[in-house]
Amino acid sequence: RRSSPGARHRGRIPGAARRAAVRHCVGMPPIIISEEVPYDPETHSCEPLDLNKPLGGHLWWHSLYWTNFPPLSIFDQQAWAEHPDGEVPASLRLLNSDGGLSEQYISFGAAREDLCNSRPLPDSAVRLTVECMQYEGVRDTAWDFPLQTYIPRRDNHQPNDLQSRRFPDNGVLHLGLNAEEFSERVMPVEDLDACIHIADKAATENPTWGYYHAVMRVGGWPYRIRRLGTYEGCGLGGRREFETGLCYWDEAQLWDLLEGCSAPAAGSGDSAEQVRGNLRKGYKFWASLMELDWLSRKIDEKKTDDAEVPPQKGYVWFTVADTITVASTGKKGVKIRILEEGILPAWLDLNFLQVFAGSLPLGYMNEMESDGPPDGSVSLHRTPSDDPSDQLGRRKVVVKNAHSKLVFDEPMTLQINDFVDLGWAIHDCCYKGATVRVGPKPGAWTADVGEDEGTVAYKASGPPALCHGEGPDKIVTCAPKSDYPYERRLVA
């Protein structure tokens, strides 16, 4: 099935997003990567462990087809029509077979950046309770040297960047907000547009290629579902639970859980054609999302299941409303109503330091107060810039607890390992629970935020620089990706 991009996203683009769309068209384009698959989608199906399976790896794990996201300014068709020769419209029309967006994927990071640049911030600040959080950042401590691709791999494994598995995301901290408090201070959670469906794919793609997800859309933003379950309709003391996979699986199992088994309608003339509607209307379910399924380390690493923060703290509770056709994909989905007894999933973009509940902007993260122990805090500051024409100043993030303090420079200028240290510092300070203050301003003005305090040198940052030659002829081919010779962590 083919349809125009405009027909598949019927949401209105706000004025700020429209201006961002024009900047995308005529300004600096994002990174656009094209990957060709030399297989016929009609005949080439892949097994989950197939080494030659296409569309696997770090980039594809963190990407979804564009219809799975809320309306993004970079895909605004009106801006494309006004600037048809812009770099982004011209490039994407060239790469997609229909001259539009027929095979267009976008990464979660690019979508977050689009929302942070285009969505207007709220006018007032608010304090919200963070029940749990998850961060997956991984430091890059490997040497990148010539001929490394010739190193033999054990058991004929795929290269790391092409493996079909789960990969970390350095740029985001996922939050579980207290849903009851969110309803009181922002808006009722049951009024949020939420649904569950199978992640849409390009019509020219075999469903067994790449990854296969069930997604929970909150305001249009997709969260990948790890597990679903219910205690209702299962008899006394019974329950039903369903766990999704990373590769292709039979979606009938998902619909059987959320809709119930289809049965002939009572009193119908043609029982084979007429069936009942959704039999699970009003049933209460819980969902564990991939973004919030690892909330803490183990207390005792020798035990299989000994999480410091129980995974149930990150469950989203909801009731089934009805079976629908999802507007952005034109395919089947189940509309849900999020309940106040669980959490509301949200995300903090570590580059922009903005918090979103799905696609709803909540503002800049100004400060976080940890529930402890030990007590700690995270605060965003603006310091005077060396450039007198810079009216916004230079942002700095201060993370501290009772035993130590870490100071991070502007997140957008940090090297990758220092950026990951920032994410882990916030997580280590607040993962047991915290109160976050979000607002329209990017932190308070501060003359000097000080320096690191305490024994924060956790361990060596990584291997030394890879060099050729000595003295004045010395050439550094692989420098450490950090401004510090050690990994920085808070003292517990």
Side-chain angles (χ1 to χ4, degrees):
R1 186 182 66 85
R2 297 284 183 88
S3 62
S4 66
R8 305 186 79 168
H9 265 332
R10 302 183 184 277
R12 293 179 59 84
I13 304 289
R18 177 59 45 75
R19 291 190 292 272
V22 173
R23 288 198 301 271
H24 279 308
C25 290
V26 301
M28 180 67 69
I31 298 175
I32 300 174
I33 300 175
S34 175
E35 179 175 336
E36 296 184 6
V37 179
Y39 304 122
D40 183 357
E42 299 294 335
T43 59
H44 185 84
S45 297
C46 299
E47 296 296 328
L49 299 180
D50 188 349
L51 288 177
N52 295 318
K53 185 177 182 179
L55 309 183
H58 188 280
L59 178 64
W60 290 103
W61 171 258
H62 291 301
S63 302
L64 289 177
Y65 193 57
W66 69 277
T67 57
N68 295 295
F69 288 93
L72 301 175
S73 64
I74 193 173
F75 297 143
D76 182 11
Q77 297 302 296
Q78 181 176 335
W80 282 28
E82 295 172 356
H83 304 274
D85 298 327
E87 291 186 82
V88 171
S91 300
L92 297 187
R93 287 195 179 103
L94 179 65
L95 293 174
N96 289 280
S97 60
D98 68 342
L101 297 169
S102 58
E103 291 93 26
Q104 188 63 51
Y105 277 66
I106 183 170
S107 69
F108 282 89
R112 289 194 301 266
E113 180 177 349
D114 186 283
L115 293 183
C116 290
N117 279 320
S118 62
R119 294 297 172 98
L121 297 176
D123 297 329
S124 58
V126 64
R127 287 187 180 273
L128 299 170
T129 298
V130 179
E131 299 288 353
C132 57
M133 62 175 57
Q134 175 172 307
Y135 184 60
E136 302 176 341
V138 175
R139 294 169 61 90
D140 186 358
T141 57
W143 272 334
D144 183 13
F145 57 90
L147 305 180
Q148 66 178 343
T149 56
Y150 291 91
I151 297 177
R153 293 183 296 274
R154 184 187 302 176
D155 298 333
N156 195 30
H157 286 171
Q158 279 277 56
N160 178 72
D161 60 339
L162 298 178
Q163 292 176 8
S164 183
R165 62 177 178 85
R166 185 168 174 170
F167 289 85
D169 190 345
N170 295 338
V172 63
L173 188 70
H174 291 284
L175 311 175
L177 302 179
N178 184 293
E180 183 178 5
E181 187 180 69
F182 187 91
S183 295
E184 296 174 356
R185 300 184 180 182
V186 182
M187 64 174 294
V189 291
E190 63 180 15
D191 292 344
L192 290 169
D193 181 22
C195 66
I196 292 175
H197 64 87
I198 300 297
D200 197 17
K201 287 176 173 280
T204 56
E205 181 182 340
N206 189 293
T208 64
W209 296 353
Y211 301 97
Y212 199 79
H213 299 294
V215 294
M216 176 184 291
R217 303 273 295 275
V218 179
W221 184 265
Y223 294 95
R224 292 166 289 190
I225 296 174
R226 175 72 180 275
R227 294 164 60 207
L228 276 172
T230 183
Y231 295 95
E232 298 188 354
C234 306
L236 182 63
R239 68 172 184 177
R240 291 190 64 187
E241 189 173 310
F242 171 66
E243 184 166 354
T244 66
L246 303 184
C247 302
Y248 181 75
W249 43 271
D250 185 5
E251 65 179 77
Q253 302 173 65
L254 176 67
W255 304 130
D256 179 55
L257 179 64
L258 293 176
E259 295 182 304
C261 297
S262 297
S268 61
D270 189 353
S271 60
E273 301 235 352
Q274 298 185 22
V275 296
R276 295 193 189 117
N278 193 313
L279 303 180
R280 304 282 186 183
K281 286 183 182 178
Y283 279 38
K284 183 191 296 185
F285 287 79
W286 56 265
S288 174
L289 309 177
M290 290 186 182
E291 289 81 0
L292 289 166
D293 65 350
W294 187 87
L295 306 179
S296 68
R297 303 174 181 86
K298 296 180 183 179
I299 299 175
D300 185 351
E301 290 293 337
K302 297 179 181 179
K303 296 183 179 179
T304 302
D305 187 10
D306 192 29
E308 188 176 0
V309 178
Q312 292 82 0
K313 202 172 182 180
Y315 283 4
V316 180
W317 288 85
F318 63 91
T319 57
V320 170
D322 202 357
T323 299
I324 61 170
T325 298
V326 181
S328 64
T329 67
K331 298 180 181 178
K332 178 179 178 179
V334 171
K335 183 175 178 60
I336 64 173
R337 292 190 179 92
I338 298 177
L339 301 178
E340 295 182 352
E341 56 194 88
I343 60 100
L344 175 67
W347 47 268
L348 166 65
D349 186 280
L350 292 178
N351 283 291
F352 292 88
L353 295 174
Q354 291 185 29
V355 179
F356 279 72
S359 62
L360 177 67
L362 301 179
Y364 289 99
M365 185 280 296
N366 293 141
E367 60 182 8
M368 299 179 77
E369 293 288 339
S370 169
D371 293 345
D375 293 337
S377 66
V378 182
S379 54
L380 176 61
H381 302 267
R382 282 185 289 172
T383 59
S385 173
D386 296 334
D387 183 2
S389 63
D390 185 1
Q391 300 297 320
L392 298 178
R394 186 175 181 85
R395 297 185 304 172
K396 290 194 175 184
V397 182
V398 178
V399 186
K400 60 182 179 180
N401 61 15
H403 311 299
S404 56
K405 171 183 174 182
L406 292 172
V407 178
F408 295 92
D409 288 331
E410 167 61 52
M412 291 191 179
T413 63
L414 291 176
Q415 294 200 61
I416 178 62
N417 287 344
D418 299 328
F419 186 82
V420 171
D421 287 348
L422 167 63
W424 278 115
I426 298 175
H427 178 273
D428 291 346
C429 179
C430 302
Y431 73 96
K432 296 179 182 178
T435 301
V436 60
R437 182 179 182 273
V438 290
K441 296 181 179 180
W445 283 99
T446 307
D448 184 13
V449 296
E451 298 179 346
D452 291 356
E453 298 176 5
T455 312
V456 297
Y458 181 67
K459 62 180 180 180
S461 182
L466 186 64
C467 308
H468 294 287
E470 296 180 356
D473 297 327
K474 180 178 178 180
I475 299 175
V476 178
T477 60
C478 186
K481 300 173 183 178
S482 173
D483 291 335
Y484 296 83
Y486 45 82
E487 180 179 346
R488 297 189 295 163
R489 298 292 286 269
L490 289 177
V491 179

